[in-house]
PDB file of all heavy atoms in Angstrom:
ATOM      1  N   PHE A  47     208.949 149.350 -51.402  1.00  0.00           N
ATOM      2  CA  PHE A  47     210.009 150.274 -51.826  1.00  0.00           C
ATOM      3  C   PHE A  47     209.665 151.694 -51.401  1.00  0.00           C
ATOM      4  O   PHE A  47     208.565 151.992 -50.937  1.00  0.00           O
ATOM      5  CB  PHE A  47     210.322 150.219 -53.328  1.00  0.00           C
ATOM      6  CG  PHE A  47     209.124 150.190 -54.240  1.00  0.00           C
ATOM      7  CD1 PHE A  47     208.140 151.161 -54.193  1.00  0.00           C
ATOM      8  CD2 PHE A  47     209.002 149.204 -55.196  1.00  0.00           C
ATOM      9  CE1 PHE A  47     207.059 151.140 -55.032  1.00  0.00           C
ATOM     10  CE2 PHE A  47     207.927 149.140 -56.052  1.00  0.00           C
ATOM     11  CZ  PHE A  47     206.948 150.109 -55.974  1.00  0.00           C
ATOM     12  N   GLN A  48     210.680 152.556 -51.570  1.00  0.00           N
ATOM     13  CA  GLN A  48     210.525 153.957 -51.227  1.00  0.00           C
ATOM     14  C   GLN A  48     211.026 154.827 -52.363  1.00  0.00           C
ATOM     15  O   GLN A  48     212.011 154.469 -53.023  1.00  0.00           O
ATOM     16  CB  GLN A  48     211.315 154.282 -49.977  1.00  0.00           C
ATOM     17  CG  GLN A  48     211.182 155.721 -49.482  1.00  0.00           C
ATOM     18  CD  GLN A  48     212.013 155.971 -48.233  1.00  0.00           C
ATOM     19  OE1 GLN A  48     213.189 156.306 -48.295  1.00  0.00           O
ATOM     20  NE2 GLN A  48     211.358 155.814 -47.078  1.00  0.00           N
ATOM     21  N   TYR A  49     210.363 155.944 -52.597  1.00  0.00           N
ATOM     22  CA  TYR A  49     210.792 156.921 -53.612  1.00  0.00           C
ATOM     23  C   TYR A  49     211.085 158.254 -52.949  1.00  0.00           C
ATOM     24  O   TYR A  49     210.320 158.739 -52.122  1.00  0.00           O
ATOM     25  CB  TYR A  49     209.723 157.077 -54.689  1.00  0.00           C
ATOM     26  CG  TYR A  49     209.819 155.987 -55.721  1.00  0.00           C
ATOM     27  CD1 TYR A  49     209.247 154.744 -55.495  1.00  0.00           C
ATOM     28  CD2 TYR A  49     210.531 156.146 -56.911  1.00  0.00           C
ATOM     29  CE1 TYR A  49     209.377 153.719 -56.423  1.00  0.00           C
ATOM     30  CE2 TYR A  49     210.654 155.131 -57.822  1.00  0.00           C
ATOM     31  CZ  TYR A  49     210.083 153.934 -57.574  1.00  0.00           C
ATOM     32  OH  TYR A  49     210.196 152.906 -58.489  1.00  0.00           O
ATOM     33  N   TYR A  50     212.229 158.809 -53.355  1.00  0.00           N
ATOM     34  CA  TYR A  50     212.636 160.118 -52.866  1.00  0.00           C
ATOM     35  C   TYR A  50     213.056 160.943 -54.065  1.00  0.00           C
ATOM     36  O   TYR A  50     213.971 160.530 -54.804  1.00  0.00           O
ATOM     37  CB  TYR A  50     213.778 159.956 -51.856  1.00  0.00           C
ATOM     38  CG  TYR A  50     214.459 161.240 -51.414  1.00  0.00           C
ATOM     39  CD1 TYR A  50     213.764 162.183 -50.683  1.00  0.00           C
ATOM     40  CD2 TYR A  50     215.786 161.486 -51.727  1.00  0.00           C
ATOM     41  CE1 TYR A  50     214.372 163.350 -50.268  1.00  0.00           C
ATOM     42  CE2 TYR A  50     216.410 162.651 -51.298  1.00  0.00           C
ATOM     43  CZ  TYR A  50     215.718 163.575 -50.585  1.00  0.00           C
ATOM     44  OH  TYR A  50     216.292 164.741 -50.161  1.00  0.00           O
ATOM     45  N   ARG A  51     212.422 162.071 -54.242  1.00  0.00           N
ATOM     46  CA  ARG A  51     212.727 162.949 -55.366  1.00  0.00           C
ATOM     47  C   ARG A  51     212.790 162.177 -56.694  1.00  0.00           C
ATOM     48  O   ARG A  51     213.771 162.296 -57.429  1.00  0.00           O
ATOM     49  CB  ARG A  51     214.050 163.705 -55.116  1.00  0.00           C
ATOM     50  CG  ARG A  51     213.929 164.686 -53.965  1.00  0.00           C
ATOM     51  CD  ARG A  51     215.197 165.487 -53.776  1.00  0.00           C
ATOM     52  NE  ARG A  51     215.012 166.505 -52.724  1.00  0.00           N
ATOM     53  CZ  ARG A  51     215.949 167.303 -52.316  1.00  0.00           C
ATOM     54  NH1 ARG A  51     217.146 167.253 -52.824  1.00  0.00           N
ATOM     55  NH2 ARG A  51     215.705 168.197 -51.372  1.00  0.00           N
ATOM     56  N   GLU A  52     211.779 161.384 -56.905  1.00  0.00           N
ATOM     57  CA  GLU A  52     211.543 160.677 -58.162  1.00  0.00           C
ATOM     58  C   GLU A  52     212.480 159.501 -58.402  1.00  0.00           C
ATOM     59  O   GLU A  52     212.421 158.886 -59.471  1.00  0.00           O
ATOM     60  CB  GLU A  52     211.567 161.629 -59.351  1.00  0.00           C
ATOM     61  CG  GLU A  52     210.544 162.765 -59.233  1.00  0.00           C
ATOM     62  CD  GLU A  52     210.650 163.764 -60.406  1.00  0.00           C
ATOM     63  OE1 GLU A  52     210.518 163.323 -61.559  1.00  0.00           O
ATOM     64  OE2 GLU A  52     210.867 164.949 -60.118  1.00  0.00           O
ATOM     65  N   GLU A  53     213.321 159.148 -57.425  1.00  0.00           N
ATOM     66  CA  GLU A  53     214.221 158.010 -57.597  1.00  0.00           C
ATOM     67  C   GLU A  53     213.901 156.936 -56.525  1.00  0.00           C
ATOM     68  O   GLU A  53     213.562 157.293 -55.394  1.00  0.00           O
ATOM     69  CB  GLU A  53     215.681 158.436 -57.405  1.00  0.00           C
ATOM     70  CG  GLU A  53     216.176 159.460 -58.425  1.00  0.00           C
ATOM     71  CD  GLU A  53     216.453 158.815 -59.773  1.00  0.00           C
ATOM     72  OE1 GLU A  53     216.777 157.606 -59.806  1.00  0.00           O
ATOM     73  OE2 GLU A  53     216.369 159.529 -60.778  1.00  0.00           O
ATOM     74  N   GLU A  54     214.064 155.672 -56.908  1.00  0.00           N
ATOM     75  CA  GLU A  54     213.888 154.609 -55.919  1.00  0.00           C
ATOM     76  C   GLU A  54     215.014 154.708 -54.885  1.00  0.00           C
ATOM     77  O   GLU A  54     216.194 154.745 -55.227  1.00  0.00           O
ATOM     78  CB  GLU A  54     213.889 153.228 -56.588  1.00  0.00           C
ATOM     79  CG  GLU A  54     213.515 152.111 -55.637  1.00  0.00           C
ATOM     80  CD  GLU A  54     213.469 150.746 -56.287  1.00  0.00           C
ATOM     81  OE1 GLU A  54     212.533 150.482 -57.082  1.00  0.00           O
ATOM     82  OE2 GLU A  54     214.376 149.922 -55.997  1.00  0.00           O
ATOM     83  N   ASN A  55     214.634 154.640 -53.622  1.00  0.00           N
ATOM     84  CA  ASN A  55     215.574 154.924 -52.531  1.00  0.00           C
ATOM     85  C   ASN A  55     215.617 153.763 -51.538  1.00  0.00           C
ATOM     86  O   ASN A  55     215.798 153.952 -50.372  1.00  0.00           O
ATOM     87  CB  ASN A  55     215.138 156.188 -51.793  1.00  0.00           C
ATOM     88  CG  ASN A  55     216.127 156.613 -50.715  1.00  0.00           C
ATOM     89  OD1 ASN A  55     217.308 156.542 -50.923  1.00  0.00           O
ATOM     90  ND2 ASN A  55     215.617 157.038 -49.572  1.00  0.00           N
ATOM     91  N   GLY A  56     215.440 152.554 -52.016  1.00  0.00           N
ATOM     92  CA  GLY A  56     215.437 151.413 -51.132  1.00  0.00           C
ATOM     93  C   GLY A  56     214.304 150.491 -51.529  1.00  0.00           C
ATOM     94  O   GLY A  56     213.238 150.948 -51.964  1.00  0.00           O
ATOM     95  N   ARG A  57     214.527 149.201 -51.388  1.00  0.00           N
ATOM     96  CA  ARG A  57     213.542 148.212 -51.831  1.00  0.00           C
ATOM     97  C   ARG A  57     213.545 147.035 -50.850  1.00  0.00           C
ATOM     98  O   ARG A  57     214.612 146.603 -50.384  1.00  0.00           O
ATOM     99  CB  ARG A  57     213.914 147.714 -53.234  1.00  0.00           C
ATOM    100  CG  ARG A  57     212.885 146.834 -53.886  1.00  0.00           C
ATOM    101  CD  ARG A  57     213.308 146.445 -55.283  1.00  0.00           C
ATOM    102  NE  ARG A  57     212.241 145.678 -55.910  1.00  0.00           N
ATOM    103  CZ  ARG A  57     211.289 146.184 -56.680  1.00  0.00           C
ATOM    104  NH1 ARG A  57     211.313 147.491 -56.960  1.00  0.00           N
ATOM    105  NH2 ARG A  57     210.356 145.424 -57.194  1.00  0.00           N
ATOM    106  N   GLY A  58     212.384 146.521 -50.584  1.00  0.00           N
ATOM    107  CA  GLY A  58     212.271 145.326 -49.752  1.00  0.00           C
ATOM    108  C   GLY A  58     212.360 144.080 -50.613  1.00  0.00           C
ATOM    109  O   GLY A  58     212.740 144.121 -51.762  1.00  0.00           O
ATOM    110  N   ASN A  59     211.968 142.954 -50.032  1.00  0.00           N
ATOM    111  CA  ASN A  59     212.117 141.682 -50.689  1.00  0.00           C
ATOM    112  C   ASN A  59     210.927 141.368 -51.590  1.00  0.00           C
ATOM    113  O   ASN A  59     210.134 140.453 -51.315  1.00  0.00           O
ATOM    114  CB  ASN A  59     212.276 140.590 -49.620  1.00  0.00           C
ATOM    115  CG  ASN A  59     212.659 139.263 -50.220  1.00  0.00           C
ATOM    116  OD1 ASN A  59     213.241 139.201 -51.303  1.00  0.00           O
ATOM    117  ND2 ASN A  59     212.331 138.197 -49.518  1.00  0.00           N
ATOM    118  N   PHE A  60     210.749 142.167 -52.626  1.00  0.00           N
ATOM    119  CA  PHE A  60     209.663 141.979 -53.591  1.00  0.00           C
ATOM    120  C   PHE A  60     210.242 141.831 -54.988  1.00  0.00           C
ATOM    121  O   PHE A  60     211.234 142.459 -55.311  1.00  0.00           O
ATOM    122  CB  PHE A  60     208.699 143.177 -53.518  1.00  0.00           C
ATOM    123  CG  PHE A  60     207.741 143.105 -52.366  1.00  0.00           C
ATOM    124  CD1 PHE A  60     208.145 143.488 -51.104  1.00  0.00           C
ATOM    125  CD2 PHE A  60     206.464 142.600 -52.521  1.00  0.00           C
ATOM    126  CE1 PHE A  60     207.262 143.398 -50.013  1.00  0.00           C
ATOM    127  CE2 PHE A  60     205.580 142.506 -51.464  1.00  0.00           C
ATOM    128  CZ  PHE A  60     205.982 142.917 -50.204  1.00  0.00           C
TER     129      PHE A  60
END
Side-chain angles (χ1 to χ4, degrees):
Chain A
F47 44 55
Q48 183 180 86
Y49 278 83
Y50 171 65
R51 293 184 175 177
E52 303 177 57
E53 298 284 332
E54 188 178 289
N55 185 41
R57 189 179 184 93
N59 190 24
F60 280 82

